[in-house]
Structures are given as structure tokens and as C-alpha cells.
Amino acid sequence: FLENHENDSTISCITISPTMMEEILKTESDKNDTIVDVISKLKSMKILTTTGNGEAYYDKALETFEKSSRRYEHLGVFNSEREDYKIFVRKRRKTIVEMTMLLFRNDQFAIINFTGNIEPGFILTLAKSVSQTNEVRSNNRHQERSERSTGHP
């Protein structure tokens, strides 16, 4: 996807290399053994974001993954009125070696890609985190609408 949009100024990409992952491990080492274990198995992380046209980019990226269905397996989905995310994985034998999450929210689009030895528990934790963030946003929007209609916080 990124190769097809190299000259697109509305796309930003950040890559966290294996060296940076090692630095993260050093700073996290005395905090949480589970996090350290998960991070130690990751090789890299790439985050791609857009500044508009989110739905069009989301559709293009989704089409790219669907065309690559022999290489990537669709693992999960979350859809709501304003938000979508889909998770795809690539396996080598039975081991997940790449996980990509496509996110679309309020005309913003992002791809988060992890490579390494990815545990299913990590994917579940990440998916729950996104779902909880969505629930908090939904509850905040509901509360804001309620406050606007009643004029009281």
C-alpha cells in the first residue's frame, strides 16, 4: 500500500526499528514482565496515518489485503456507525509473523503493522484496547449530546 502512495503528501509513516524496540525494552524492563516479553518478540512496528480522505484510503488498503488473501488471513473486525477496524495476520507455518490493523475513524485512516513472533494474546489485548477506546469515545459523545440537549453537565 505504502509503495503505491510514496509521493502522497497526506500520508505520514513512522517505523520503529529493531534497534528502537531494544531501547523500548531497556526503558520498560523494570515495569511489566508481560509487556517486556511481548515487545521482545516484536521486530518492528510501522504506523501510517493520513490527514483526510480516510474512507478512500481505508477502502484502497482493504482492497489490497483482500487481493492478498493467500498471504494474509482476516482475523477480526469492529464496525460502528463512525469507526471501523480490521485485523489481518500473516503466518509462517503456525506462527503469526506479521499483524496489520486497518483503522478508519472520523475520516482519519491509519495502518498499524507489527512484525516478529506475535502471540495471539497480544492481538487480543490490542483489539480490546481499541474496543475500550471506542466505548469511551462513544460514551463521551453520548454524554456531550445529553449535556447539549439539557444544558447541564
Side-chain angles (χ1 to χ4, degrees), residues 82 108 111 151:
R82 294 185 174 165
Q108 300 294 312
I111 295 176

Side-chain angles (χ1 to χ4, degrees), residues 74-86:
H74 183 236
L75 193 64
V77 64
F78 172 84
N79 294 39
S80 73
E81 186 177 312
R82 294 185 174 165
E83 302 169 326
D84 281 332
Y85 77 79
K86 295 190 185 322

Side-chain angles (χ1 to χ4, degrees), residues 38 42-47 65 71-76 85-92 95-103 111-128 130:
V38 167
L42 296 176
K43 288 186 180 175
S44 68
M45 180 174 128
K46 190 177 282 191
I47 302 171
F65 276 93
R71 186 171 182 205
Y72 290 95
E73 175 185 333
H74 183 236
L75 193 64
Y85 77 79
K86 295 190 185 322
I87 299 173
F88 294 88
V89 296
R90 183 172 57 88
K91 294 180 180 178
R92 187 173 297 132
T95 303
I96 298 171
V97 296
E98 183 177 4
M99 184 205 87
T100 303
M101 181 181 282
L102 306 179
L103 298 134
I111 295 176
I112 303 172
N113 176 270
F114 295 94
T115 60
N117 182 358
I118 300 166
E119 300 287 330
F122 170 73
I123 297 170
L124 182 62
T125 300
L126 188 62
K128 282 182 180 179
V130 171

Side-chain angles (χ1 to χ4, degrees), residues 25-150:
L25 278 175
K26 288 178 188 174
T27 61
E28 292 292 324
S29 62
D30 42 325
K31 294 184 180 166
N32 184 326
D33 289 338
T34 305
I35 291 172
V36 170
D37 184 49
V38 167
I39 292 174
S40 70
K41 294 177 183 177
L42 296 176
K43 288 186 180 175
S44 68
M45 180 174 128
K46 190 177 282 191
I47 302 171
L48 178 143
T49 59
T50 64
T51 56
N53 262 349
E55 189 169 11
Y57 285 115
Y58 180 81
D59 291 342
K60 286 179 187 177
L62 193 55
E63 182 181 316
T64 300
F65 276 93
E66 288 171 350
K67 286 180 181 176
S68 302
S69 62
R70 298 181 96 197
R71 186 171 182 205
Y72 290 95
E73 175 185 333
H74 183 236
L75 193 64
V77 64
F78 172 84
N79 294 39
S80 73
E81 186 177 312
R82 294 185 174 165
E83 302 169 326
D84 281 332
Y85 77 79
K86 295 190 185 322
I87 299 173
F88 294 88
V89 296
R90 183 172 57 88
K91 294 180 180 178
R92 187 173 297 132
R93 295 186 184 101
K94 293 184 179 186
T95 303
I96 298 171
V97 296
E98 183 177 4
M99 184 205 87
T100 303
M101 181 181 282
L102 306 179
L103 298 134
F104 170 67
R105 179 184 303 140
N106 299 326
D107 203 36
Q108 300 294 312
F109 170 67
I111 295 176
I112 303 172
N113 176 270
F114 295 94
T115 60
N117 182 358
I118 300 166
E119 300 287 330
F122 170 73
I123 297 170
L124 182 62
T125 300
L126 188 62
K128 282 182 180 179
S129 172
V130 171
S131 292
Q132 288 171 350
T133 301
N134 290 334
E135 286 175 21
V136 168
R137 281 195 181 104
S138 176
N139 288 340
N140 287 345
R141 280 194 297 264
H142 177 67
Q143 184 177 354
E144 288 169 4
R145 276 187 235 125
S146 175
E147 289 172 1
R148 281 193 302 261
S149 67
T150 63

